[in-house]
Each structure stands twice: as structure tokens, then as C-alpha cells.
Amino acid sequence: MNIVVIGGAGFIGCNVADFYLNNNNYVTVFDNFSRKGTLQNLAWLQSKHKDNLAVVQGDVRIDFNKMKATVAKADIVFHFAAQVAVTTSVVDPREDFEINALGTFNVLEAIRQSGNKPVFLYSSTNKVYGGMEHVKIVERNSGYDYETLPMGVAESEQLDFHSPYGCSKGTADQYTIDYSRIYGLRTIVFRQSCIYGYRQFGVEDQGWVAHFTISAMFNRPLTIYGDGKQVRDVLFIDDLVRAYDIAIKRIDVTSGRAYNIGGGPNKKMSLLQLIDYLEKFFGKKLAYTFSDWRPGDQRVFICDIRKAKNEFGWEPTIGVEEGVRHLSDWVKENKGAFHSIYF
């Protein structure tokens, strides 16, 4: 197959590209390489895959014709190019909108105008559900939880875009669904919870599992915003890539649909639990301090992932401790990859 991965040098994108290249497909990475770590990820892909990998440097905001030509012969288009941090969106909401909302609109239009109808998979976010202030939160087992949602948040939850980031990603989310309804494009939306794993160069504002793990490796002090008891359902990258592949193979069912994708209620973790795991895997105590909650921070978010299981047969298999250990081992084995990014 001919596969285009927009944002293909980012954390999720390069793992998706690698998966499909390993399965003898032709992959085009479309990326503007503005994010730290993308050049390292591209070099990693090129070192592994001498054939079947093409690279197009472009920006989803401005390079419409280049993008249109890139998707014209695609069988599958993944869209991961994004501004990814709530905090950054609050500081610069215009850039956030242009990348996430306008950029996704441009990708959809490039596909529509190309006359080709590839499967299009958009990486959305749990932030489309907002703060969910109507749901009571309780503390259980040293972490926050929903009082009345034992399976987590389902796709039937009312959309309530929260923060400029939530608004821009939510706009793109809804456009993706509507381009299936109105124009007959074969689109899928994944509203993703906390994804972590190999080749994630996490920073304080985004990618917290990787950020904490890298900081543990290099003895960098950590700041916990809030009380550390905030909880997310976490999903290891290998389980996510497998979900993409299965959903695409079942496009007869998944087209025009949105799915909550995360670890679910059985694979959740608080910040303090992550610190416990890292102290175990690195064999040392971590230095951290506490600070005030940040705008847009949720005390808890857990996906109800039953729709994905019921409609295309996917559920995660990698446990939380196992996943954190995989990430920790990767960081230890690739210490040199971080110096040009963090130091």
C-alpha cells in the first residue's frame, strides 16, 4: 500500500511509519521538522529503511499544493501534525488554531480535491470532552477517579471543548467526521488519551510519562503541578499502532466514526505512581517539587474503550508497569539521543 504519514517524524508518526515499512508498504513522511526530536526520528527511520521511504518537507498550514500531490495516490493518510500542548495554546491561540484546525481542514481539502479517497485517520484528543465539571470526582487508592463512571468516559459524553487546544482539536475532529458524512470520505477519528512509548521526546508541557522518565535518567528535577494524584489511562505506543491497523482494516464499520482510545479503566496511573515505578526501574530516588495546578489540567481522565472493542475488536494488552519499564529501558539504551534536544 501507499501510505502517507503527516507529522510522520513525530513520536506517534514515526512509530506508525516504521510499522507499515516493516510490513512492506511504501511510506511517505510529510513533516515540517519544527519540533525537537523530529530530525532524530527521521534519521532513525532512514537508518532502518533504505527502500520504500520517501520524505516531503511541508507545512499543513501553507503547503497545500505539495500536500495535495502527496496524498493523490495514497491508500491511507494518517494525520498527526499538531500543536500538542494546552499551555502553549493558551499563550498563542492563533498559532494553535492555524496548525490544528486550519491545518486539518487543509489536509481534508487536499484529499477531497485530489479525487482520491484514501482512508483518513485523524489523531484527536480527550480534551474535546472539556472539564466534565458535572461528573463528581473522588479519591481512591491515592489517586482521583470518577464516582459514577466505572468504565470511564464514553463517546456519548457531551462535547465541550476546553482551552484553545481543545477548541482547535475539537474543530478538526468534527470536520473529519463531517467530511465522511457530506463528501463520502473514509475517515476515522481517534480521541486519544495519554500515549507513551519509544521515540517520545517528552517535555514538561506535553508527553508527561516520557518527560518524567527522561528526567529520571539524567537526574533533572521535576515539578508536579497539582498534588500528583491526577490520573490518566495510559496507552503504550505498540497498542495504539495496532489499534490504527485494525480500525483501518475494518473501515466498512469504522468509517465516519469517532473512538475513545486509551488504556481504559484497567490501565491507569497517577503522577505519583509513575514516580514510584521510575524509582524502582532506575534504582534511585527522584527529586521533585509541587506547584499550583495549571489552566486546563484535569484531575482525572479515563476512556471507556468498549466501543472500539465492540466495533473493531481492539483492546490494549500492555500493562502499565510493563509499558513504563519498556520506555525506561529504551531511554537507558539511547542516552545519546537526548543530549542535542535537552542539553
Side-chain angles (χ1 to χ4, degrees), residues 75 117 286 321 336:
D75 297 299
K117 286 192 176 181
L286 302 188
E321 184 172 355

Side-chain angles (χ1 to χ4, degrees), residues 86-87 90 127 162-163 292-298:
V86 171
T87 49
V90 173
K127 292 294 188 293
H162 193 277
S163 76
D292 294 338
W293 292 88
R294 297 175 298 184
D297 278 349
Q298 300 161 298

Side-chain angles (χ1 to χ4, degrees), residues 254-267:
T254 58
S255 182
R257 308 280 277 169
Y259 298 93
N260 289 350
I261 300 293
N266 296 323
K267 292 176 175 60

Side-chain angles (χ1 to χ4, degrees), residues 52 74 80 95 171 183 236 240 301 306:
N52 295 344
F80 304 120
E95 182 177 66
T171 298
Y183 298 113
F236 195 72
L240 176 67
F301 190 90
R306 289 177 295 177

Side-chain angles (χ1 to χ4, degrees), residues 138-147 149-152 193-194 196 208-209 229-236 262-274 277 299-303 305 316 318-322 324:
V138 296
E139 187 177 333
R140 296 191 180 113
N141 302 319
S142 300
Y144 294 112
D145 201 353
Y146 301 121
E147 184 179 51
L149 296 174
M151 300 305 295
S193 196
C194 175
Y196 69 107
W208 62 279
V209 179
K229 298 177 182 179
Q230 52 267 54
V231 167
R232 299 290 183 271
D233 62 323
V234 295
L235 184 66
F236 195 72
N266 296 323
K267 292 176 175 60
K268 58 188 180 182
M269 176 172 63
S270 72
L271 271 66
L272 293 176
Q273 286 175 314
L274 174 58
Y277 286 138
R299 279 174 168 74
V300 59
F301 190 90
I302 299 166
C303 281
I305 56 176
I318 298 171
V320 176
E321 184 172 355
E322 178 187 5
V324 174

Side-chain angles (χ1 to χ4, degrees), residues 63-280:
D63 293 320
F64 182 77
N65 289 331
K66 189 181 289 188
M67 189 159 45
K68 186 176 174 180
T70 302
V71 303
K73 296 182 179 179
D75 297 299
I76 303 168
V77 176
F78 293 93
H79 181 31
F80 304 120
Q83 190 297 110
V84 295
V86 171
T87 49
T88 302
S89 78
V90 173
V91 173
D92 193 346
R94 178 176 293 277
E95 182 177 66
D96 174 82
F97 174 85
E98 289 176 350
I99 296 171
N100 292 345
L102 177 61
T104 303
F105 174 79
N106 286 339
V107 177
L108 288 165
E109 275 294 280
I111 292 172
R112 184 179 74 86
Q113 292 183 28
S114 73
N116 187 25
K117 286 192 176 181
V119 175
F120 175 73
L121 197 147
Y122 176 62
S123 174
S124 186
T125 173
N126 59 32
K127 292 294 188 293
V128 299
Y129 298 114
M132 297 179 56
E133 287 85 359
H134 63 287
V135 178
K136 187 174 180 180
I137 294 172
V138 296
E139 187 177 333
R140 296 191 180 113
N141 302 319
S142 300
Y144 294 112
D145 201 353
Y146 301 121
E147 184 179 51
T148 58
L149 296 174
M151 300 305 295
V153 178
E155 294 82 355
S156 57
E157 178 67 31
Q158 180 178 334
L159 298 180
D160 181 20
F161 305 158
H162 193 277
S163 76
Y165 172 77
C167 290
S168 64
K169 293 290 286 186
T171 298
D173 176 312
Q174 293 299 285
Y175 261 96
T176 300
I177 292 170
D178 203 57
Y179 264 57
S180 176
R181 182 164 45 218
I182 300 300
Y183 298 113
L185 299 188
R186 298 183 296 165
T187 69
I188 311 169
V189 170
F190 271 18
R191 293 173 183 159
Q192 294 167 189
S193 196
C194 175
I195 313 300
Y196 69 107
Y198 312 122
R199 310 216 62 81
Q200 184 178 27
F201 298 101
V203 294
E204 188 173 69
D205 288 339
Q206 198 273 336
W208 62 279
V209 179
H211 167 61
F212 276 47
T213 305
I214 295 163
S215 297
M217 177 72 247
F218 294 102
N219 298 310
R220 301 174 73 194
L222 288 162
T223 300
I224 294 177
Y225 295 93
D227 56 15
K229 298 177 182 179
Q230 52 267 54
V231 167
R232 299 290 183 271
D233 62 323
V234 295
L235 184 66
F236 195 72
I237 185 64
D238 291 351
D239 274 334
L240 176 67
V241 174
R242 188 169 52 85
Y244 289 146
D245 190 52
I246 299 171
I248 288 165
K249 288 174 178 174
R250 294 299 315 277
I251 191 62
D252 57 317
V253 173
T254 58
S255 182
R257 308 280 277 169
Y259 298 93
N260 289 350
I261 300 293
N266 296 323
K267 292 176 175 60
K268 58 188 180 182
M269 176 172 63
S270 72
L271 271 66
L272 293 176
Q273 286 175 314
L274 174 58
I275 286 175
D276 287 343
Y277 286 138
L278 294 175
E279 290 181 339
K280 174 182 176 181

